Amino acid sequence: YNNISLRNMHRPIQWLHSMGIAVYVLRYRLRSEMHYWPAQIEDTEEAVRLVKAEAASLGLDPDKIGVWGSSAGGHAASLASSTFTGQLKLAFQILVYPTIDVETPDWYPWIAAEGFPGPEFNTHTHVHPYTAPAFITVSSEDDVCALETNAKPYYDACVRHGVPAKLVVASMGRHGHGMKVEWTEPCEAWLREHGWALPPQDAARL
């Protein structure tokens, strides 16, 4: 939660638009700006509230609002997908090299006294049967949000609670690799399979 790169959102936005998915980008408050946890999840909650409130007037289905988060953003997205309920409940989540276990890696754990979320916010411990279906991906070379301590425990928790989940692991480079065909192709298929993206023939007319 120290930084956010809005410049890197151009390709993901284009990719989602190509499938008929409307996109809103949240620029949450940062710890590096002295906005300590839980500012980030509060901003996420307010963003979901605003989008859902305006959805119908924009021709969007409020029951098909999902969330995407990468790295620290994946922590907020995965927590929101389990803890936002009622009218704020999310339909799906896309987690790209997400932070799940805040106590790892050993050389850079998040410390609550320094404004980070503490271990009670390890998001795999919040998964329950009504958690939003999840697409999760990470590179086998990622040593920051490593598979074994982040994506895999979250995926296993989803399976254990009967939450539909797909985990894609491939050799894609170090942490922060961004858009890679190894995960975007299966993610596109997953979104279409569940009805969150347009069929190819309809998307081609956009």
Side-chain angles (χ1 to χ4, degrees):
Y1 293 123
N2 280 331
N3 55 72
I4 189 168
S5 179
L6 297 178
R7 291 178 300 175
N8 291 339
M9 288 305 301
H10 182 67
R11 284 186 63 205
I13 289 171
Q14 283 189 318
W15 176 64
L16 292 167
H17 278 174
S18 74
M19 293 182 279
I21 299 175
V23 180
Y24 292 82
V25 178
L26 168 64
R27 198 286 192 187
Y28 51 65
R29 289 171 290 170
L30 299 174
R31 174 185 168 275
S32 55
E33 300 167 337
M34 306 301 290
H35 296 296
Y36 294 161
W37 182 264
Q40 296 75 29
I41 197 67
E42 290 172 349
D43 289 352
T44 305
E45 180 177 354
E46 183 61 19
V48 172
R49 190 187 314 278
L50 288 171
V51 171
K52 282 186 171 265
E54 297 294 326
S57 66
L58 297 171
L60 306 175
D61 186 341
D63 294 325
K64 289 187 176 182
I65 304 297
V67 63
W68 170 334
S70 303
S71 195
H75 180 266
S78 59
L79 186 64
S81 294
S82 288
T83 60
F84 291 5
T85 59
Q87 292 186 338
L88 297 184
K89 180 173 171 53
L90 292 159
F92 65 90
Q93 53 178 319
I94 300 172
L95 307 178
V96 183
Y97 39 83
T99 299
I100 300 297
D101 185 340
V102 306
E103 298 174 279
T104 63
D106 293 340
W107 46 269
Y108 189 48
W110 286 357
I111 300 172
E114 297 177 358
F116 287 106
E120 67 273 24
F121 294 105
N122 287 342
T123 62
H124 63 291
T125 66
H126 290 264
V127 172
H128 53 75
Y130 300 104
T131 291
F135 180 94
I136 313 157
T137 185
V138 66
S139 172
S140 54
E141 287 99 42
D142 196 325
D143 63 349
V144 177
C145 295
L147 168 67
E148 294 78 9
T149 52
N150 292 278
K152 186 64 162 59
Y154 194 84
Y155 172 77
D156 289 344
C158 288
V159 171
R160 191 162 58 250
H161 288 282
V163 176
K166 185 175 183 64
L167 174 62
V168 173
V169 182
S171 176
M172 296 180 282
R174 303 292 293 275
H175 186 74
H177 55 70
M179 303 285 286
K180 295 285 185 178
V181 68
E182 290 88 346
W183 73 263
T184 58
E185 284 191 354
C187 186
E188 185 171 334
W190 182 79
L191 288 166
R192 286 191 163 124
E193 174 190 351
H194 290 281
W196 298 312
L198 291 176
Q201 62 271 23
D202 293 337
R205 301 192 189 103
L206 295 175

